[in-house]
Amino acid sequence: MGSPAIAILGTGSYAPEKILTNDDLSKLVDTSDEWIFTRTGIRERHIAAPNETTSQMAAAAARLAMSDAGVTAADIDLIIVATVTPDLPMPATACFVQHQLGVPTHAACFDLNAACSGFIYALDTAWAMLGSGRYRHALVIGAEKFSSVLDWKDRTTCVLFGDGAGAVVLGPTRGTGQILGTKLYTEGAHTHLLCIPDGGSNTPDPAATGARTPRTVSMKGREIFKIAVREMEEAARDILAQHQITPAQIGCVIPHQANLRIIDAIARYLELPAERFFVNLERYGNTSAASIPLALDEARSSGRIKPGETTLFVAFGAGLTYGSALVRW
Ligand SMILES: CC(C)(COP(=O)(O)OP(=O)(O)OC[C@H]1O[C@@H](n2cnc3c(N)ncnc32)[C@H](O)[C@@H]1OP(=O)(O)O)[C@@H](O)C(=O)NCCC(=O)NCCS
């Protein structure tokens, strides 16, 4: 008997109430709506309340995904939270999510750090675990309180990111949403291009050096931009070739929502019309691991994904990690 076919059974998303516009940001740092919008396509982003946690956002998205899938907490036996902004360094955010949702103790719950590629990495992992037949229903969640790791005085990074969560329920297929394949990659030579250079075992001992680097994101934007376009094109082309699908046969591409100019470049390289790409970054900014599941949930609820179509997910992020996935509806 082959391994069971696994599908996305339901989706859900959550964004915090507070919206921070580009004009609001121009009061914090030397920037403008015109600069941010023309360079990135972003108009506004959601920012979590000070006491709102990544796990609470993850659980809110997960509840909607479970309801959409018609499953209850008792059905879930695996939770993977993709995040780089966990509630605490230890224990895993997924443990807080399990408790908030009332998922039974026999569930395996852990976090996964692949930055903005985190959702595709978590999808691949959960797909393999469910495919083994040892788990039946998984919550795969991308959730970030990215505002908590931004330097709000650094205009080169603070304008790009936002907070939010997206979740899917995976389980045995009911005829739609089947995962056809995933591909994961890493270019560890580029770890320094996008990182939080503090808070881990490589942090200089502040007592010895007398100095602390801030626990906020450091990024070489221009370098990342070029590599991101190359990596996303490679991840898209490889998975399409592997499944003998041409770009033109893809109904909807859901790319990581970092920058509209990156998405437009990939559309040009794949020779696809820009309309084939689902884009919501103008309202959310880059929500890191949450970006693809949040966009997927909006694409489904707005009717952008049609029965019988194939959807391509493609992402890149710190690591540098990158990857792609194909789903047939
Ligand atoms: C960050 C990014 C938008 C910058 O756009 P860019 O066209 O490369 O701009 P540059 O970094 O070359 O900066 C151009 C100028 O704008 C300035 N600038 C940077 N941020 C600014 C801001 N928010 N407002 C106004 N000016 C800004 C720079 O200081 C620079 O000024 P200078 O020419 O006087 O030195 C772009 O490089 C990018 O999106 N990179 C990818 C980042 C990414 O996606 N990261 C997440 C990965 S998951």
Side-chain angles (χ1 to χ4, degrees):
M1 203 177 82
S3 52
I6 303 302
I8 293 176
L9 306 180
T11 60
S13 59
Y14 171 85
E17 205 178 309
K18 182 181 168 187
I19 291 174
L20 189 70
T21 66
N22 290 348
D23 285 334
D24 295 333
L25 271 169
S26 70
K27 295 178 188 109
L28 296 176
V29 288
D30 181 14
T31 191
S32 64
D33 176 53
E34 201 266 333
W35 192 96
I36 300 170
F37 186 69
T38 53
R39 304 272 174 147
T40 69
I42 300 166
R43 286 276 189 212
E44 59 190 35
R45 69 287 292 142
H46 292 251
I47 301 293
N51 61 353
E52 192 169 25
T53 61
T54 296
S55 68
Q56 289 165 351
M57 294 191 280
R63 281 187 195 99
L64 294 169
M66 289 195 297
S67 152
D68 186 38
V71 300
T72 66
D75 298 314
I76 303 294
D77 52 10
L78 172 64
I79 302 176
I80 307 179
V81 177
T83 188
V84 291
T85 51
D87 287 15
L88 296 172
M90 181 176 83
T93 304
C95 303
F96 294 101
V97 173
Q98 180 215 16
H99 184 61
Q100 288 166 38
L101 297 177
V103 165
T105 52
H106 64 252
C109 301
F110 61 94
D111 290 0
L112 186 152
N113 177 342
C116 299
S117 311
F119 178 74
I120 291 181
Y121 267 67
L123 194 72
D124 175 281
T125 306
W127 182 38
M129 290 177 76
L130 266 57
S132 75
R134 295 171 52 228
Y135 299 86
R136 193 159 169 84
H137 290 106
L139 273 169
V140 179
I141 309 170
E144 301 282 12
K145 186 174 177 176
F146 219 87
S147 59
S148 68
V149 291
L150 290 172
D151 175 354
W152 289 96
K153 294 189 198 71
D154 176 9
R155 68 176 184 175
T156 68
T157 51
C158 76
V159 303
L160 302 176
F161 297 92
D163 299 336
V168 303
V169 174
L170 293 191
T173 184
R174 301 168 188 161
T176 182
Q178 186 175 338
I179 301 175
L180 302 182
T182 52
K183 272 203 74 73
L184 308 180
Y185 311 74
T186 312
E187 281 194 286
H190 300 311
T191 47
H192 61 290
L193 293 181
L194 181 52
C195 60
I196 299 174
D198 186 26
S201 63
N202 190 19
T203 303
D205 177 2
T209 62
R212 265 182 87 76
T213 47
R215 199 170 292 189
T216 53
V217 166
S218 152
M219 185 184 76
K220 302 227 179 303
R222 218 178 297 178
E223 286 93 324
I224 294 268
F225 191 105
K226 285 183 222 142
I227 299 173
V229 172
R230 169 180 52 79
E231 289 179 342
M232 297 240 279
E233 186 195 1
E234 178 190 348
R237 284 204 186 280
D238 279 0
I239 200 165
L240 292 175
Q242 202 173 54
H243 292 270
Q244 294 165 334
I245 294 173
T246 64
Q249 289 173 300
I250 295 296
C252 182
V253 183
I254 302 191
H256 172 46
Q257 310 279 318
N259 184 316
L260 189 57
R261 289 188 296 141
I262 294 178
I263 295 171
D264 284 345
I266 292 154
R268 271 197 314 278
Y269 290 141
L270 295 179
E271 295 177 53
L272 283 176
E275 305 77 66
R276 201 70 65 85
F277 287 66
F278 184 82
V279 177
N280 65 0
L281 61 80
E282 69 277 8
R283 287 178 290 117
Y284 296 101
N286 179 348
T287 57
S288 184
S291 110
I292 288 185
L294 210 163
L296 168 65
D297 188 47
E298 286 202 345
R300 282 186 74 229
S301 57
S302 65
R304 273 296 301 278
I305 291 179
K306 309 269 186 318
E309 275 186 3
T310 303
T311 298
L312 169 68
F313 303 144
V314 60
F316 72 98
L320 297 179
T321 56
Y322 55 116
S324 49
L326 282 175
V327 174
R328 170 117 354 114
W329 302 97

